[in-house]
Amino acid sequence: MEKLPPKTVERLSQYRRVLSKYEDDENSYIFSHDLARLLKINPVQVRRDLMLIGFSGNYRSGYRVQELIMLINKTLKTPKSQNSVIIGVGRLGKAIIHHIYPSNVCPVTLKAAFDIDPAKINKEYNGVFCYDVSKIPEIVKENNVKIAILTISDEDIQPIVDALIDSGVKGIINYVAGPLKIPKDIYFKEYDIRTTLEEMAYFIE
Amino acid sequence: MEKLPPKTVERLSQYRRVLSKYEDDENSYIFSHDLARLLKINPVQVRRDLMLIGFSGNYRSGYRVQELIMLINKTLKTPKSQNSVIIGVGRLGKAIIHHIYPSNVCPVTLKAAFDIDPAKINKEYNGVFCYDVSKIPEIVKENNVKIAILTISDEDIQPIVDALIDSGVKGIINYVAGPLKIPKDIYFKEYDIRTTLEEMAYFIE
DNA sequence: TTATTTTTGTTAATCAATTAACAAATTAAT
DNA sequence: ATTAATTTGTTAATTGATTAACAAAAATAA
């Protein structure tokens, strides 16, 4: 099946998250303009996104929330379908562990954490066990992990990245800027808050 | 002067950050394709971005690093020109404080932190003082703060957001998804790692 | 001197994302 | 019944971002 545009996928994930708060009522409906307002986007965009996944609404009452969530679940792979690991259990690493795991909303499972600091290794953080980075190949292969989250900025992170990729990781999210050698076929995203801050500083007034 | 495209601003911030590691040598130069490789983008994009800010390179040796950093500084406002605050000093809040402050690279100054937890108030975190949220109007106005970073997902965050905006904040970065009422003229960005994870899970094979 | 190579600078073309426009469906009101 | 109001579904238009294409500049090699 044809892949959806990346931006649409991003919004589908956001629709699902905000809608899950509205799901209490079995029979609740939502209009495109209401869903749009929750995400601060244009209602046409909502309708277009839903059109792309083949979801139909009702001319009078809008879109059925429960059905929409179910279709988004199906479209963005079924829940718990992808496994991930996190590198680094410092402040940021721990924050992310607590934010995404255990969560009934996020369908990506965090299978393990890794660190280089002996003080952090062989402990559990909110249910996620932390191993020495040397265990990456073993654990990653064993659990069929495809996504890695990087939260440490050590100079020597490149060997860790290489080990992850060698072991089958296909997507990397890096929260600490820094040039990394990453093959072209790896899905890579970098988020550094400083970039966002500087962009914002430029545009406000 | 005409505003630059948002994506160009984002990349300028990234160019500056990676180049600052190359600045040691007073007279170092870099080619567009080398800078491009560091950011995993197309060299044409680098040249186009630099063209937009009116920076010229040398046909033989590329772009002068030091001069380029200076021009980016000038383009993205001068260093230390914008003030920010952070809401919440939990795990994520502390991680961000340590990541951006004090930093000679990020030109946005973190002026204060706020929390609702009495155990966290009136303490200093890596040099940033934490106040009770009731102090928002006073501190924000006093320091001419224009940017706020949200790291708490409390149900009652809307009044905090309203206080920030009333006190003059023009840009908000939200790290915890959740519908917020934000006026149209506020520059707003939301980053929830779960969205990124789900998008990635969809695209990798 | 005359090619050859390399890299910038810029326009044009392409691709992606958003928004506008409006027909079709449905209900409610007159 | 007819009109008005509302909202979806879809195509077309627009806007924004990226990439391709290539001339101009400068140095090097033949």
PDB file of all heavy atoms in Angstrom, chain A residues 12 14 24 58 65 94 113 121 126 140 146 148 151 198:
ATOM      1  N   LEU A  12      -1.736  12.249  12.288  1.00  0.00           N
ATOM      2  CA  LEU A  12      -2.571  11.113  12.710  1.00  0.00           C
ATOM      3  C   LEU A  12      -2.223  10.717  14.142  1.00  0.00           C
ATOM      4  O   LEU A  12      -3.099  10.446  14.964  1.00  0.00           O
ATOM      5  CB  LEU A  12      -2.374   9.929  11.765  1.00  0.00           C
ATOM      6  CG  LEU A  12      -3.010  10.055  10.378  1.00  0.00           C
ATOM      7  CD1 LEU A  12      -2.602   8.880   9.490  1.00  0.00           C
ATOM      8  CD2 LEU A  12      -4.523  10.143  10.465  1.00  0.00           C
ATOM      9  N   GLN A  14      -1.075  12.635  16.368  1.00  0.00           N
ATOM     10  CA  GLN A  14      -1.593  13.673  17.269  1.00  0.00           C
ATOM     11  C   GLN A  14      -3.110  13.602  17.407  1.00  0.00           C
ATOM     12  O   GLN A  14      -3.642  13.787  18.499  1.00  0.00           O
ATOM     13  CB  GLN A  14      -1.154  15.050  16.765  1.00  0.00           C
ATOM     14  CG  GLN A  14       0.347  15.253  16.888  1.00  0.00           C
ATOM     15  CD  GLN A  14       0.847  16.492  16.168  1.00  0.00           C
ATOM     16  OE1 GLN A  14       0.238  16.962  15.207  1.00  0.00           O
ATOM     17  NE2 GLN A  14       1.968  17.020  16.629  1.00  0.00           N
ATOM     18  N   ASP A  24     -14.252   8.614  26.134  1.00  0.00           N
ATOM     19  CA  ASP A  24     -15.089   8.103  27.216  1.00  0.00           C
ATOM     20  C   ASP A  24     -16.455   7.643  26.706  1.00  0.00           C
ATOM     21  O   ASP A  24     -16.860   6.513  26.900  1.00  0.00           O
ATOM     22  CB  ASP A  24     -15.315   9.187  28.285  1.00  0.00           C
ATOM     23  CG  ASP A  24     -14.004   9.916  28.596  1.00  0.00           C
ATOM     24  OD1 ASP A  24     -12.958   9.258  28.495  1.00  0.00           O
ATOM     25  OD2 ASP A  24     -14.056  11.109  28.910  1.00  0.00           O
ATOM     26  N   ASN A  58     -19.787  11.841   9.017  1.00  0.00           N
ATOM     27  CA  ASN A  58     -21.234  11.947   8.863  1.00  0.00           C
ATOM     28  C   ASN A  58     -21.591  13.410   8.606  1.00  0.00           C
ATOM     29  O   ASN A  58     -21.145  14.296   9.329  1.00  0.00           O
ATOM     30  CB  ASN A  58     -21.871  11.439  10.153  1.00  0.00           C
ATOM     31  CG  ASN A  58     -23.371  11.428  10.069  1.00  0.00           C
ATOM     32  OD1 ASN A  58     -23.991  12.475   9.859  1.00  0.00           O
ATOM     33  ND2 ASN A  58     -23.949  10.258  10.219  1.00  0.00           N
ATOM     34  N   VAL A  65     -15.585   9.147  16.886  1.00  0.00           N
ATOM     35  CA  VAL A  65     -14.268   9.156  17.524  1.00  0.00           C
ATOM     36  C   VAL A  65     -13.677   7.758  17.659  1.00  0.00           C
ATOM     37  O   VAL A  65     -12.536   7.496  17.259  1.00  0.00           O
ATOM     38  CB  VAL A  65     -14.340   9.842  18.902  1.00  0.00           C
ATOM     39  CG1 VAL A  65     -13.021   9.711  19.647  1.00  0.00           C
ATOM     40  CG2 VAL A  65     -14.691  11.320  18.732  1.00  0.00           C
ATOM     41  N   LYS A  94      15.877   9.535  31.723  1.00  0.00           N
ATOM     42  CA  LYS A  94      14.845   9.165  32.685  1.00  0.00           C
ATOM     43  C   LYS A  94      13.530   9.868  32.395  1.00  0.00           C
ATOM     44  O   LYS A  94      12.455   9.272  32.506  1.00  0.00           O
ATOM     45  CB  LYS A  94      15.314   9.520  34.103  1.00  0.00           C
ATOM     46  CG  LYS A  94      16.307   8.523  34.681  1.00  0.00           C
ATOM     47  CD  LYS A  94      16.606   8.874  36.148  1.00  0.00           C
ATOM     48  CE  LYS A  94      17.982   8.399  36.559  1.00  0.00           C
ATOM     49  NZ  LYS A  94      18.647   9.321  37.495  1.00  0.00           N
ATOM     50  N   ALA A 113      17.256  -0.010  28.336  1.00  0.00           N
ATOM     51  CA  ALA A 113      18.085   1.193  28.359  1.00  0.00           C
ATOM     52  C   ALA A 113      19.540   0.758  28.379  1.00  0.00           C
ATOM     53  O   ALA A 113      19.850  -0.373  28.791  1.00  0.00           O
ATOM     54  CB  ALA A 113      17.763   2.026  29.590  1.00  0.00           C
ATOM     55  N   ILE A 121      24.161   1.014  35.567  1.00  0.00           N
ATOM     56  CA  ILE A 121      23.943  -0.268  34.905  1.00  0.00           C
ATOM     57  C   ILE A 121      23.382  -1.300  35.883  1.00  0.00           C
ATOM     58  O   ILE A 121      23.659  -1.252  37.082  1.00  0.00           O
ATOM     59  CB  ILE A 121      25.272  -0.750  34.276  1.00  0.00           C
ATOM     60  CG1 ILE A 121      25.646   0.212  33.144  1.00  0.00           C
ATOM     61  CG2 ILE A 121      25.166  -2.168  33.747  1.00  0.00           C
ATOM     62  CD1 ILE A 121      27.066   0.091  32.692  1.00  0.00           C
ATOM     63  N   ASN A 126      11.800   2.781  36.172  1.00  0.00           N
ATOM     64  CA  ASN A 126      10.385   2.738  35.806  1.00  0.00           C
ATOM     65  C   ASN A 126      10.045   1.493  34.981  1.00  0.00           C
ATOM     66  O   ASN A 126       9.286   1.541  34.021  1.00  0.00           O
ATOM     67  CB  ASN A 126       9.994   4.002  35.036  1.00  0.00           C
ATOM     68  CG  ASN A 126       8.497   4.261  35.085  1.00  0.00           C
ATOM     69  OD1 ASN A 126       7.851   4.014  36.096  1.00  0.00           O
ATOM     70  ND2 ASN A 126       7.942   4.739  33.989  1.00  0.00           N
ATOM     71  N   VAL A 140      19.535  -5.948  21.382  1.00  0.00           N
ATOM     72  CA  VAL A 140      18.822  -5.367  20.245  1.00  0.00           C
ATOM     73  C   VAL A 140      18.350  -6.466  19.290  1.00  0.00           C
ATOM     74  O   VAL A 140      17.200  -6.469  18.837  1.00  0.00           O
ATOM     75  CB  VAL A 140      19.702  -4.324  19.518  1.00  0.00           C
ATOM     76  CG1 VAL A 140      19.125  -3.969  18.151  1.00  0.00           C
ATOM     77  CG2 VAL A 140      19.842  -3.065  20.369  1.00  0.00           C
ATOM     78  N   LYS A 146      13.991  -1.856  16.544  1.00  0.00           N
ATOM     79  CA  LYS A 146      14.188  -1.122  15.296  1.00  0.00           C
ATOM     80  C   LYS A 146      14.421   0.368  15.515  1.00  0.00           C
ATOM     81  O   LYS A 146      14.800   1.086  14.604  1.00  0.00           O
ATOM     82  CB  LYS A 146      12.942  -1.303  14.406  1.00  0.00           C
ATOM     83  CG  LYS A 146      12.758  -2.731  13.890  1.00  0.00           C
ATOM     84  CD  LYS A 146      13.594  -2.982  12.664  1.00  0.00           C
ATOM     85  CE  LYS A 146      13.356  -4.354  12.074  1.00  0.00           C
ATOM     86  NZ  LYS A 146      14.416  -5.294  12.438  1.00  0.00           N
ATOM     87  N   ALA A 148      16.014   3.538  18.083  1.00  0.00           N
ATOM     88  CA  ALA A 148      16.868   3.897  19.222  1.00  0.00           C
ATOM     89  C   ALA A 148      16.746   5.388  19.509  1.00  0.00           C
ATOM     90  O   ALA A 148      16.672   6.211  18.590  1.00  0.00           O
ATOM     91  CB  ALA A 148      18.316   3.541  18.929  1.00  0.00           C
ATOM     92  N   THR A 151      20.274   9.944  24.122  1.00  0.00           N
ATOM     93  CA  THR A 151      20.168  11.079  25.047  1.00  0.00           C
ATOM     94  C   THR A 151      21.515  11.443  25.658  1.00  0.00           C
ATOM     95  O   THR A 151      21.551  12.228  26.598  1.00  0.00           O
ATOM     96  CB  THR A 151      19.169  10.774  26.191  1.00  0.00           C
ATOM     97  OG1 THR A 151      19.745   9.800  27.066  1.00  0.00           O
ATOM     98  CG2 THR A 151      17.857  10.260  25.673  1.00  0.00           C
ATOM     99  N   GLU A 198      16.291  29.194  19.156  1.00  0.00           N
ATOM    100  CA  GLU A 198      16.883  30.219  18.302  1.00  0.00           C
ATOM    101  C   GLU A 198      15.946  30.582  17.154  1.00  0.00           C
ATOM    102  O   GLU A 198      15.830  31.748  16.782  1.00  0.00           O
ATOM    103  CB  GLU A 198      18.247  29.745  17.790  1.00  0.00           C
ATOM    104  CG  GLU A 198      19.235  29.663  18.938  1.00  0.00           C
ATOM    105  CD  GLU A 198      20.543  28.977  18.591  1.00  0.00           C
ATOM    106  OE1 GLU A 198      20.864  28.853  17.399  1.00  0.00           O
ATOM    107  OE2 GLU A 198      21.250  28.560  19.537  1.00  0.00           O
TER     108      GLU A 198
END
